[in-house]
Amino acid sequence: MADTFSMMINGKKVAPKDTFEVRNPSTGEVVGLAPDASMADLDAAVAAADHAFQTWSKQSDAQLRAACEAVTAKIAENSEELATLITQEQGKPLNGLGSRWELGGAGAWAGYTSTLSLPMKVLQDNNEGKVELHRKPLGVVGSITPWNFPVMIAIWHIMPALRTGNTVVIKPSPFTPLSTIRLVEIMNEALPAGVVNCVTGSDGNDSVGAAMSSHPDIRKIVFTGSCATGEKIMRTAAETMKRLTLEMGGNDAGIVLPDVDPAQIAEGLFWGGFINNGQTCAAMKRLYVHEDVYDDVCEQLVNFAKNIPVGDGMAEESILGPVQNQRQFDKVKRLVDEGKKKGRVLLGGEPGEGLFFPPTIIADLDNDDPLVAEEQFGPALPIIKYSDLDDVIAQANKSENGLGGSVWSKDIEKAKEVALKMECGSVWINKHGAIQPNAPFGGVKKSGIGVEFGEEGLQEYTDVQVVFS
Ligand code: NAD
């Protein structure tokens, strides 16, 4: 019999009236029963966070830092339990760039964010007067997260909010709510009641997220997820003029210049495209390769990819797991089937058992083919041959999205020139998707609004107040 998980409201576990099943994508087994929150549950969580804000926001900078460091220590103490729960509900393996790695990232981000602060700035101090810029917490922050990195993204949302004196209500994805519930329980061991609360809702019950976006007592929404949902949130949030950080979908291009050594870049290209089975916002989702090295790059990439063990996430030897859910699986299958009509399948292409889909590489596609033009968010990489650099930059930029991009070359200066012409928030040279806690990360165009991480990310959890004297 699977465990029933509770919501966390005002420092207490609140047993749900209704529940929904959370299944392991590797096996189909029920991992646990998650609460299907009502509007009253959401209101109670927001009220608790609002009440806690009255004292939390008055903590000194040193107290906030110490509390965030205590939370970071709690995450480290419980990391194996959280990693196991992620693997069971998300499917990603314990090993490789899987759930233990995700917990390592969560700890690194929590620790680094604890050390950041936004002290008062003196803008002017002369005989005409003094001007001070203060950064003040907003109030209750509503966090809405996706299913691909449930714990790491929760940390990205919660820690900067706490560090700047805000309180939080988090609503995880219906596909992966359990690890977030446990994360919030663990955080509550180190925090006053009401500072971080968690409510969960079932798939198809978007009403909880939608109600957060319009809730009069939530001052900001930080959202990571699809473009379609981000647009809905922006519309709904307008009425209460909420602050918004929206980290949405990407269709990142990688551009390989003719001077590369294909054997040397194959591993980086593979992980750029297939990290977390391709279910990563800033994964490489289209690969453009110069005609001079096209055949070699295809061959070396396939040689690397064909040896990656795919299997049940709980098996220590697995490096990639299943696709997380049926909806995503169906999308990947549709796009691969489209790709097969015109392209050359170099690896994979046929679905496996259940939700397993092998790493798939399809060459000889064009910019308008669905596997290139749409975000696949799964283990399928299209390769496009090019001959002219300006033309390929234009192709890469011909997208509504602009999250990340990469350039691959031995000539770093040349690669940087290309990077600056790409319309996206981050560009990597000879790697892809390597985010870090001290560098702001966010999308341009339809990939989002605002940034996370670093000082710029922290600022998004504050209002500016200028004092003239
Ligand atoms: P999704 O938009 O379907 O769901 C994300 C969250 O929004 C879930 O918690 C969901 O319950 C909630 N939600 C759904 N409808 C809502 C509504 N009307 N109002 C408020 N909340 C609502 O996204 P997903 O399928 O979980 O994640 C995949 C997408 O997320 C991909 O497009 C991927 O690129 C993107 N993503 C982006 C980043 C980034 O940092 N830019 C990171 C990870 C994932």
Side-chain angles (χ1 to χ4, degrees):
M1 183 68 188
D3 290 343
T4 301
F5 287 63
S6 297
M7 291 168 282
M8 175 58 75
I9 299 175
N10 204 22
K12 293 193 183 68
K13 289 186 187 181
V14 176
K17 278 205 195 79
D18 298 314
T19 59
F20 63 95
E21 289 177 344
V22 179
R23 288 181 182 270
N24 181 332
S26 289
T27 62
E29 284 161 14
V30 177
V31 183
L33 300 175
D36 204 359
S38 65
M39 287 305 122
D41 294 324
L42 174 64
D43 283 342
V46 175
D50 198 26
H51 182 71
F53 179 73
Q54 305 313 321
T55 29
W56 184 252
S57 58
K58 296 189 181 65
Q59 304 284 303
S60 70
D61 193 62
Q63 285 170 320
L64 291 173
R65 177 178 175 154
C68 288
E69 285 172 346
V71 168
T72 306
K74 279 279 169 202
I75 295 165
E77 277 167 34
N78 294 279
S79 66
E80 190 61 16
E81 183 204 337
L82 288 169
T84 305
L85 204 43
I86 292 176
T87 291
Q88 287 171 333
E89 67 174 353
Q90 206 282 341
K92 69 179 71 182
L94 291 166
N95 291 320
L97 301 178
S99 60
R100 289 180 178 138
W101 181 83
E102 178 170 343
L103 258 294
W109 256 269
Y112 182 78
T113 307
S114 304
T115 68
L116 292 173
S117 75
L118 298 172
M120 183 270 288
K121 259 193 200 165
V122 177
L123 302 180
Q124 175 188 307
D125 189 7
N126 58 23
N127 53 11
E128 282 167 21
K130 189 168 182 185
V131 182
E132 296 173 353
L133 185 151
H134 296 257
R135 293 228 164 236
K136 300 169 79 173
L138 301 167
V140 179
V141 171
S143 153
I144 303 176
T145 54
W147 47 260
N148 57 346
F149 289 94
V151 166
M152 190 147 72
I153 292 177
I155 290 293
W156 293 349
H157 290 188
I158 295 172
M159 293 306 285
L162 298 189
R163 184 62 188 86
T164 42
N166 301 280
T167 55
V168 176
V169 175
I170 184 168
K171 191 212 80 69
S173 165
F175 296 110
T176 54
L178 306 181
S179 52
T180 305
I181 291 175
R182 268 305 285 149
L183 174 72
V184 172
E185 286 174 4
I186 288 161
M187 288 180 149
N188 269 266
E189 293 171 15
L191 292 169
V195 170
V196 182
N197 307 273
C198 180
V199 291
T200 56
S202 56
D203 187 28
N205 176 10
D206 292 342
S207 51
V208 182
M212 287 170 74
S213 319
S214 63
H215 203 292
D217 297 327
I218 292 182
R219 284 287 325 282
K220 173 189 171 85
I221 294 285
V222 50
F223 165 79
T224 304
S226 64
C227 294
T229 306
E231 285 173 28
K232 281 188 205 161
I233 289 175
M234 192 167 181
R235 253 180 252 125
T236 317
E239 279 180 28
T240 45
M241 200 48 76
K242 285 188 190 6
R243 277 53 188 148
L244 292 175
T245 302
L246 303 176
E247 297 288 358
M248 290 139 71
N251 194 6
D252 293 10
I255 300 179
V256 177
L257 302 189
D259 69 349
V260 295
D261 174 348
Q264 214 177 17
I265 63 168
E267 183 174 356
L269 288 177
F270 178 79
W271 286 116
F274 290 89
I275 179 173
N276 205 29
N277 232 358
Q279 302 166 127
T280 304
C281 50
M284 191 169 68
K285 293 171 181 151
R286 325 173 255 160
L287 179 60
Y288 298 86
V289 182
H290 191 271
E291 59 187 0
D292 289 358
V293 285
Y294 186 78
D295 291 339
D296 275 357
V297 167
C298 289
E299 190 185 332
Q300 295 293 342
L301 180 55
V302 169
N303 281 345
F304 185 85
K306 69 183 181 199
N307 294 318
I308 298 294
V310 182
D312 185 330
M314 291 300 284
E316 293 283 342
E317 65 277 10
S318 298
I319 295 296
L320 290 178
V323 173
Q324 205 281 328
N325 58 69
Q326 190 69 47
R327 197 187 306 160
Q328 197 58 41
F329 181 92
D330 292 345
K331 181 173 193 193
V332 172
K333 182 169 182 313
R334 172 178 66 81
L335 291 173
V336 167
D337 286 346
E338 286 288 336
K340 286 190 322 198
K341 285 183 195 159
K342 185 166 145 197
R344 192 161 43 99
V345 179
L346 303 181
L347 188 69
E350 287 300 324
E353 293 276 301
L355 292 176
F356 284 93
F357 206 103
T360 293
I361 299 174
I362 305 187
D364 304 348
L365 289 175
D366 291 317
N367 230 34
D368 295 332
D369 292 323
L371 184 57
V372 181
E374 285 181 47
E375 183 190 31
Q376 67 280 53
F377 212 63
L381 183 67
I383 309 186
I384 308 103
K385 190 192 281 191
Y386 78 88
S387 53
D388 179 77
L389 186 56
D390 288 333
D391 181 52
V392 78
I393 294 169
Q395 287 190 59
N397 288 339
K398 200 175 158 229
S399 166
E400 287 189 328
N401 293 119
L403 193 56
S406 59
V407 188
W408 303 73
S409 170
K410 286 185 184 149
D411 182 343
I412 303 299
E413 290 313 310
K414 171 86 181 167
K416 281 190 196 165
E417 272 175 39
V418 176
L420 289 169
K421 292 180 184 163
M422 292 177 79
E423 295 169 359
C424 51
S426 305
V427 194
W428 293 275
I429 314 284
N430 294 326
K431 54 189 171 184
H432 196 113
I435 49 175
Q436 48 190 65
N438 59 351
F441 172 75
V444 302
K445 303 202 277 189
K446 278 194 160 184
S447 286
I449 285 196
V451 292
E452 298 186 275
F453 318 154
E455 202 177 303
E456 290 82 356
L458 207 60
Q459 287 172 357
E460 300 214 358
Y461 291 83
T462 62
D463 275 335
V464 165
Q465 186 177 51
V466 180
V467 179
F468 302 83
S469 60

